[in-house]
Amino acid sequence: MTKLFLSAFVLSTFFAQRGMSQQYTCSAGTWHVAIEQNPMLTNCGTFTNIPVAAATSCPAAITAALSLFNSAPMTDCFRPGCKTCIEKANPGVTVSNVSTITLIAGTPTCVVHPYVVNNNNFVNYQVDIPYTCKYTVESACPPKTIATTVNGVVFCCTSNDDGAVGSNTSQFCCTRSACPAGTIETVVNGVTFCCAVESGASINGDTLKFCCSKK
Protein backbone atom coordinates (compact mmCIF):
# COMPACT_ATOMS: atom_id res chain seq x y z
CA MET A 1 0.00 0.00 0.00
CA THR A 2 1.42 3.36 -1.03
CA LYS A 3 1.22 6.36 1.30
CA LEU A 4 1.35 9.97 0.16
CA PHE A 5 1.93 13.01 2.39
CA LEU A 6 0.46 16.32 1.27
CA SER A 7 0.52 19.80 2.74
CA ALA A 8 -2.68 21.63 3.71
CA PHE A 9 -2.16 23.95 0.73
CA VAL A 10 -2.15 21.08 -1.76
CA LEU A 11 -5.21 19.70 -0.01
CA SER A 12 -7.17 22.90 -0.52
CA THR A 13 -6.26 22.93 -4.21
CA PHE A 14 -7.25 19.32 -4.95
CA PHE A 15 -10.37 19.30 -2.82
CA ALA A 16 -11.63 22.55 -4.26
CA GLN A 17 -11.34 20.96 -7.67
CA ARG A 18 -13.10 17.73 -6.70
CA GLY A 19 -15.73 19.37 -4.50
CA MET A 20 -15.37 16.96 -1.55
CA SER A 21 -16.58 19.54 0.95
CA GLN A 22 -20.27 20.37 0.65
CA GLN A 23 -21.69 23.60 2.04
CA TYR A 24 -25.34 24.31 2.73
CA THR A 25 -26.54 27.82 3.56
CA CYS A 26 -29.70 29.73 4.26
CA SER A 27 -30.60 33.36 4.80
CA ALA A 28 -31.71 33.40 8.42
CA GLY A 29 -33.10 36.93 8.47
CA THR A 30 -32.05 39.94 10.54
CA TRP A 31 -31.07 40.14 14.19
CA HIS A 32 -32.02 43.33 16.06
CA VAL A 33 -30.37 44.71 19.20
CA ALA A 34 -30.50 48.03 21.06
CA ILE A 35 -27.11 49.25 22.27
CA GLU A 36 -27.32 51.61 25.24
CA GLN A 37 -24.94 54.33 26.42
CA ASN A 38 -24.08 52.26 29.47
CA PRO A 39 -22.93 48.61 29.68
CA MET A 40 -25.73 46.13 30.22
CA LEU A 41 -26.60 42.42 30.31
CA THR A 42 -28.91 40.54 27.96
CA ASN A 43 -30.39 37.07 27.60
CA CYS A 44 -30.91 34.74 24.64
CA GLY A 45 -32.89 31.56 25.13
CA THR A 46 -31.34 29.63 28.01
CA PHE A 47 -28.22 31.83 27.95
CA THR A 48 -28.41 34.60 30.54
CA ASN A 49 -26.37 37.58 31.72
CA ILE A 50 -24.50 38.04 28.45
CA PRO A 51 -22.41 41.26 28.62
CA VAL A 52 -23.23 44.03 26.14
CA ALA A 53 -20.77 46.87 25.59
CA ALA A 54 -21.84 50.52 25.71
CA ALA A 55 -21.66 52.99 22.83
CA THR A 56 -22.03 56.72 22.23
CA SER A 57 -22.14 56.64 18.42
CA CYS A 58 -23.45 54.40 15.65
CA PRO A 59 -19.97 53.13 14.61
CA ALA A 60 -19.27 52.15 18.22
CA ALA A 61 -22.72 50.59 18.53
CA ILE A 62 -22.15 48.49 15.41
CA THR A 63 -18.83 47.29 16.82
CA ALA A 64 -20.53 46.37 20.11
CA ALA A 65 -23.38 44.61 18.31
CA LEU A 66 -21.01 42.56 16.13
CA SER A 67 -18.97 41.58 19.19
CA LEU A 68 -22.17 40.41 20.89
CA PHE A 69 -23.37 38.61 17.75
CA ASN A 70 -20.08 36.69 17.44
CA SER A 71 -19.88 35.76 21.13
CA ALA A 72 -20.12 32.07 22.02
CA PRO A 73 -23.43 32.32 23.95
CA MET A 74 -25.18 34.10 21.09
CA THR A 75 -23.79 31.71 18.47
CA ASP A 76 -24.98 28.72 20.52
CA CYS A 77 -28.37 30.39 20.96
CA PHE A 78 -28.83 30.92 17.21
CA ARG A 79 -27.65 27.49 16.03
CA PRO A 80 -30.91 25.54 16.62
CA GLY A 81 -32.79 28.09 14.51
CA CYS A 82 -30.07 27.82 11.87
CA LYS A 83 -30.53 24.03 11.79
CA THR A 84 -34.21 24.47 10.95
CA CYS A 85 -33.41 27.15 8.38
CA ILE A 86 -30.72 25.07 6.63
CA GLU A 87 -32.84 21.91 6.48
CA LYS A 88 -35.83 23.85 5.11
CA ALA A 89 -33.73 25.62 2.48
CA ASN A 90 -31.94 22.41 1.44
CA PRO A 91 -34.47 19.55 1.17
CA GLY A 92 -32.94 16.19 1.97
CA VAL A 93 -30.17 17.66 4.14
CA THR A 94 -30.08 16.77 7.84
CA VAL A 95 -27.83 18.75 10.19
CA SER A 96 -26.46 16.06 12.47
CA ASN A 97 -24.32 18.33 14.65
CA VAL A 98 -25.42 21.93 15.28
CA SER A 99 -21.99 22.82 16.72
CA THR A 100 -20.59 22.69 13.17
CA ILE A 101 -22.91 25.49 12.01
CA THR A 102 -21.27 28.88 11.51
CA LEU A 103 -23.00 32.26 11.39
CA ILE A 104 -21.96 34.87 8.85
CA ALA A 105 -22.89 38.47 9.60
CA GLY A 106 -23.91 40.75 6.77
CA THR A 107 -23.59 44.55 6.70
CA PRO A 108 -25.13 46.09 9.85
CA THR A 109 -27.31 49.21 9.90
CA CYS A 110 -27.74 51.61 12.80
CA VAL A 111 -30.41 54.16 13.74
CA VAL A 112 -30.08 56.66 16.60
CA HIS A 113 -33.08 56.36 18.90
CA PRO A 114 -33.77 59.17 21.44
CA TYR A 115 -36.18 58.38 24.26
CA VAL A 116 -37.37 59.87 27.58
CA VAL A 117 -37.64 58.15 30.97
CA ASN A 118 -38.91 60.12 34.00
CA ASN A 119 -38.34 63.40 32.16
CA ASN A 120 -34.73 62.43 31.45
CA ASN A 121 -33.45 62.29 27.89
CA PHE A 122 -31.56 59.23 26.73
CA VAL A 123 -30.25 57.83 23.47
CA ASN A 124 -29.69 54.27 22.33
CA TYR A 125 -28.65 52.79 19.00
CA GLN A 126 -30.89 50.35 17.13
CA VAL A 127 -28.63 47.96 15.23
CA ASP A 128 -29.84 45.40 12.66
CA ILE A 129 -27.52 42.63 11.45
CA PRO A 130 -28.62 40.38 8.54
CA TYR A 131 -26.99 36.99 8.78
CA THR A 132 -26.56 33.69 6.98
CA CYS A 133 -26.20 30.21 8.46
CA LYS A 134 -23.64 27.83 6.92
CA TYR A 135 -23.28 24.09 7.41
CA THR A 136 -20.19 22.36 5.98
CA VAL A 137 -19.97 18.60 5.50
CA GLU A 138 -16.83 16.76 4.50
CA SER A 139 -17.85 13.80 2.40
CA ALA A 140 -16.37 11.05 0.28
CA CYS A 141 -19.25 11.67 -2.12
CA PRO A 142 -19.37 14.37 -4.82
CA PRO A 143 -21.78 17.35 -4.70
CA LYS A 144 -25.53 16.71 -5.20
CA THR A 145 -25.18 13.24 -3.69
CA ILE A 146 -25.75 11.96 -0.15
CA ALA A 147 -23.45 9.44 1.52
CA THR A 148 -25.29 6.51 3.06
CA THR A 149 -24.00 3.25 4.55
CA VAL A 150 -25.53 -0.12 3.66
CA ASN A 151 -24.06 -3.25 5.29
CA GLY A 152 -20.93 -1.31 6.18
CA VAL A 153 -20.35 -0.07 2.62
CA VAL A 154 -20.58 3.65 1.76
CA PHE A 155 -22.66 4.58 -1.28
CA CYS A 156 -23.29 7.96 -2.91
CA CYS A 157 -27.01 8.45 -3.60
CA THR A 158 -28.92 10.91 -5.75
CA SER A 159 -32.44 11.11 -7.14
CA ASN A 160 -33.03 10.20 -10.77
CA ASP A 161 -33.29 13.88 -11.73
CA ASP A 162 -29.91 14.62 -10.11
CA GLY A 163 -31.63 16.49 -7.28
CA ALA A 164 -31.72 16.17 -3.52
CA VAL A 165 -33.16 13.02 -2.00
CA GLY A 166 -36.19 14.02 0.07
CA SER A 167 -39.82 13.32 0.87
CA ASN A 168 -40.84 14.02 -2.74
CA THR A 169 -38.32 11.59 -4.23
CA SER A 170 -39.99 8.65 -6.01
CA GLN A 171 -36.74 6.86 -6.81
CA PHE A 172 -33.04 7.33 -6.20
CA CYS A 173 -29.90 5.45 -7.20
CA CYS A 174 -26.66 4.82 -5.32
CA THR A 175 -23.15 4.08 -6.50
CA ARG A 176 -20.31 2.80 -4.36
CA SER A 177 -18.11 5.49 -2.87
CA ALA A 178 -14.55 5.53 -4.15
CA CYS A 179 -13.12 5.79 -0.62
CA PRO A 180 -14.13 4.43 2.82
CA ALA A 181 -16.15 6.53 5.25
CA GLY A 182 -13.96 8.98 7.15
CA THR A 183 -11.59 9.51 4.21
CA ILE A 184 -11.69 11.84 1.24
CA GLU A 185 -10.76 10.93 -2.32
CA THR A 186 -8.23 12.96 -4.29
CA VAL A 187 -6.24 12.35 -7.47
CA VAL A 188 -2.49 13.02 -7.76
CA ASN A 189 -0.75 12.49 -11.09
CA GLY A 190 -3.70 10.45 -12.30
CA VAL A 191 -3.69 8.11 -9.28
CA THR A 192 -6.64 7.96 -6.85
CA PHE A 193 -5.86 8.15 -3.12
CA CYS A 194 -8.06 8.08 0.01
CA CYS A 195 -6.92 10.72 2.52
CA ALA A 196 -7.45 11.17 6.25
CA VAL A 197 -5.84 12.62 9.37
CA GLU A 198 -4.37 9.81 11.47
CA SER A 199 -6.12 11.09 14.62
CA GLY A 200 -9.48 10.86 12.84
CA ALA A 201 -10.02 14.64 12.90
CA SER A 202 -11.55 16.46 9.96
CA ILE A 203 -9.25 17.75 7.24
CA ASN A 204 -9.46 21.53 7.06
CA GLY A 205 -7.39 24.71 6.85
CA ASP A 206 -5.78 23.98 10.24
CA THR A 207 -4.53 20.52 9.21
CA LEU A 208 -0.72 20.30 9.27
CA LYS A 209 -0.39 16.76 7.92
CA PHE A 210 -2.60 14.00 6.60
CA CYS A 211 -1.92 10.64 4.97
CA CYS A 212 -3.25 9.27 1.69
CA SER A 213 -3.40 5.56 0.87
CA LYS A 214 -3.52 4.34 -2.68
CA LYS A 215 -6.94 2.96 -3.47
Side-chain angles (χ1 to χ4, degrees), residues 7-212:
S7 68
F9 172 77
V10 175
L11 166 76
S12 62
T13 302
F14 279 104
F15 285 59
Q17 291 173 346
R18 294 191 63 81
M20 292 304 176
S21 180
Q22 300 183 43
Q23 294 184 350
Y24 303 97
T25 63
C26 73
S27 177
T30 300
W31 176 62
H32 176 84
V33 62
I35 302 296
E36 300 288 344
Q37 292 181 303
N38 296 302
M40 56 179 288
L41 298 174
T42 191
N43 303 323
C44 182
T46 59
F47 300 90
T48 60
N49 297 325
I50 306 170
V52 183
T56 56
S57 67
C58 261
I62 287 174
T63 299
L66 286 171
S67 177
L68 176 62
F69 177 84
N70 291 316
S71 67
M74 296 302 293
T75 298
D76 288 340
C77 178
F78 289 149
R79 278 174 171 157
C82 280
K83 178 181 186 298
T84 302
C85 176
I86 289 168
E87 292 177 346
K88 183 177 181 180
N90 301 274
V93 172
T94 299
V95 179
S96 58
N97 184 358
V98 295
S99 66
T100 60
I101 294 174
T102 56
L103 279 67
I104 304 170
T107 303
T109 59
C110 176
V111 175
V112 179
H113 176 244
Y115 63 99
V116 178
V117 177
N118 296 329
N119 294 321
N120 294 313
N121 294 319
F122 297 92
V123 171
N124 65 20
Y125 303 89
Q126 305 287 322
V127 179
D128 289 309
I129 302 176
Y131 68 100
T132 300
C133 304
K134 182 175 72 173
Y135 176 56
T136 303
V137 181
E138 289 188 12
S139 174
C141 291
K144 294 186 178 180
T145 65
I146 299 175
T148 188
T149 302
V150 180
N151 293 333
V153 180
V154 178
F155 292 84
C156 302
C157 303
T158 184
S159 64
N160 50 9
D161 60 354
D162 198 30
V165 177
S167 59
N168 295 324
T169 302
S170 59
Q171 182 188 48
F172 66 92
C173 300
C174 302
T175 56
R176 186 168 182 172
S177 172
C179 286
T183 66
I184 302 178
E185 176 189 342
T186 190
V187 176
V188 180
N189 293 333
V191 181
T192 301
F193 294 86
C194 299
C195 303
V197 179
E198 291 181 345
S199 65
S202 297
I203 300 175
N204 54 44
D206 296 324
T207 301
L208 297 178
K209 185 183 84 171
F210 64 92
C211 299
C212 296

